[in-house]
Amino acid sequence: MGDVWIRTISHSLVRADRVTEIASSRGSVHEERGYSIKAVAEGKAYILIDNSDLEGTTKARFAHAGRMQAGLLLAVDEASTAAEPTVISYEQDGERWVITPTSDIAGVSLPIAPAVGAAYTE
């Protein structure tokens, strides 16, 4: 199992296994519209989403933020089963979480070992 990292809005990375809390608020960090989601790790809060574009009632914004939190938890569960380290990033255009192997981010091509019992031919 590889390490799982979560990208913050400031493009820093937080280890998912150190996150102790994921919380949302009804407004963005800068105003009373939209919503924000933060992760708390080692006593420090990291903003993951700050969406001031989402309009609607407080109830609707909290419901949307709750779905985004649930999506993040599902992404962490999915990424934790990957064989290599991964980064979970929020994609604002699609309003979704994306899991990317760190080798793709670094532009490194990892060799794939042949399957057990597979014949190698040139």
Side-chain angles (χ1 to χ4, degrees), residues 87-122:
V87 174
I88 300 171
S89 304
Y90 173 68
E91 183 181 271
Q92 188 163 353
D93 292 340
E95 285 255 323
R96 63 187 181 137
W97 298 98
V98 178
I99 302 169
T100 308
T102 56
S103 60
D104 287 356
I105 294 170
V108 177
S109 178
L110 298 175
I112 298 174
V116 176
Y120 177 76
T121 59
E122 287 189 46

Side-chain angles (χ1 to χ4, degrees), residues 6-50:
I6 303 172
R7 185 177 305 277
T8 68
I9 64 169
S10 64
H11 298 288
S12 52
L13 297 172
V14 177
R15 286 181 61 113
D17 63 351
R18 294 192 179 147
V19 172
T20 56
E21 178 183 356
I22 297 172
S24 60
S25 64
R26 67 177 186 267
S28 75
V29 173
H30 302 290
E31 55 187 276
E32 274 298 308
R33 291 179 17 171
Y35 67 96
S36 63
I37 294 180
K38 68 178 177 179
V40 178
E42 298 176 344
K44 184 175 178 189
Y46 298 90
I47 304 295
L48 305 178
I49 300 175
D50 183 20

Side-chain angles (χ1 to χ4, degrees), residues 31-74:
E31 55 187 276
E32 274 298 308
R33 291 179 17 171
Y35 67 96
S36 63
I37 294 180
K38 68 178 177 179
V40 178
E42 298 176 344
K44 184 175 178 189
Y46 298 90
I47 304 295
L48 305 178
I49 300 175
D50 183 20
N51 183 343
S52 61
D53 294 334
L54 185 66
E55 295 185 18
T57 66
T58 301
K59 184 177 179 180
R61 290 181 289 152
F62 263 131
H64 185 77
R67 288 189 296 275
M68 295 309 298
Q69 284 178 262
L72 174 58
L73 293 174
L74 289 171

